[in-house]
Every structure is written in C-alpha cells, then in structure tokens.
Amino acid sequence: MASKLKYNLYIDECGDHYLATYDRNFPIFTLCGILVPVKKVNTFQGAVDKLKQEFWQTTDVILHSRDIRKCEKHFQILFDDEIKQRFYKRVNELLAQQGIYVIVCCSVLKENCISKHGVDADVYGTALKYVLQRSIFCVDDIGPEGGKINIIVERRGKREDAALTNYYNRLRVTGMHYVSPERLADHMGHFGFSEKKENVFGLQVADLIAYPISRHVLAPEKPNPAFDVIAPNIYASGGKLLGLKIFPDK
C-alpha cells in the first residue's frame, strides 16, 4: 500500500467569534486554512522569505493583513505609493501560485447564525469542523492513498486554545458529517499551536487570504481584486466550491 502524502494545514482567522456583541459593519468570522504538501513547504517558505528580503532586507517581518491595510509597523513603507504598488504586485504573484497550496475555509455570517442558532452558537468550533471536513475531502481527492494532515493553529490565548483543543478531541471521538471517527483519526497527524511571533509563514499566508475571502462573502457583487487572485486556489470538486463553506447556508 502506498504511504499517505503529508500535508500541513495552517489555520488563521479574520474577525472575532463573538455573537452577543459584534461589529455591524463586519458581521462575519472566517476561519481560513491553507493545505500545503510537506514536500513543498520549503519552496513556499522560500518564496515568502524572498518577498520579505526584497522589501526589508530581513525575514523577521511578520506579514499581517491588518497592519498592511493600515500601513502600520513595518508596513509604513507602503505610504510610498511606488513601493505599495510593487509590494502588492509581489504579494499577488506569491498567492497566485498554482499547485503549491489549497484554500479550505469557513465563513460564519453572524446575523444569520444568531437568527438560526442563537447567540450561544459555537462559531469557532463550527468553522473548525467544516475546515477539517473539507480538508479531508480535499486530500482524498488529490490521491487515492489519502493524506496525513498536521494542523498548525494561530495561538489566541490559554483559555481559547484549551477550549479549541477540547473541541478537536471531541471531534476525534464523535466524527463529523460524512467523516467517521475512524476516517478522521486516519487523516489527522499532529495538532498544535504557534505564536504569531514564531514567524510561521503558513499562518501569515492564511491571514493574508482570510480578509479578501470575508469581503467576498459579505459583498460578492463588489470588485475584489485580491479575492480574484486567490480564487483559483480554493478547493473545488465536481463543479462545487467546497473550500469556501458559508455558514449558515444562505
């Protein structure tokens, strides 16, 4: 029997998971995962490091979507329009790469979620469930031998991380829709957290992608060039965009 391909699933978020109070101008929570074959991790990281070296002559800079949009911290250089245009061109080239990563994400529309499930709905847990489910579908589609998935999540806080770990462990016992506990266990490898300061390239890429996806879900009719760049890398199967789950269904 052929050995399973190995993947890293880097997971970051856009927005917060609170329902009792939330920003009415941004009523969404997106959990964004990118699946990267382990054999391509060094190549992808090399491309990210090359971009950083070009603009800061160091790889220590953390790419953070909010800081980029606000031109804050290291990204104050983007107040220079020539640098800004060149930077966004390089980022688009990085994210437009085909065959090096696949996007699997879930966006929770807060108003719909409250209406159907109440303010106590587990937003983060629900999103994680769909990201893991669709990631398993994806690696099974890629090869008949399936794949082993190592999960790296952006650390949020001691209490939040403990709750997420408990939720993940419960999923391993109960399984999910279309994914039995046995199938889940067969695909899952290491599950762990990383701090932003650890400079994990995959978490930074997931962060860059989560915002344009959120904007697309909120207003699909509006121009969104950043989404257009990454859209071809969203997991699709049978003509359906399975890598972009919107919850609850509209």
Side-chain angles (χ1 to χ4, degrees), residues 39-58:
K39 64 182 180 181
K40 296 185 178 181
V41 164
N42 289 340
T43 299
F44 203 175
Q45 178 162 359
V48 173
D49 287 347
K50 183 178 180 182
L51 181 148
K52 294 180 181 181
Q53 287 282 5
E54 178 179 346
F55 290 91
W56 294 280
Q57 296 74 55
T58 178

Side-chain angles (χ1 to χ4, degrees), residues 147-182:
K148 206 76 171 178
I149 303 170
N150 297 313
I151 303 167
I152 304 99
V153 184
E154 174 100 341
R155 191 176 292 281
R156 297 184 297 152
K158 189 173 293 185
R159 180 182 298 176
E160 292 86 353
D161 295 347
L164 183 60
T165 301
N166 289 336
Y167 186 89
Y168 171 74
N169 288 334
R170 288 199 301 273
L171 284 179
R172 290 181 67 100
V173 174
T174 62
M176 302 174 284
H177 292 303
Y178 310 113
V179 179
S180 67
E182 294 77 19

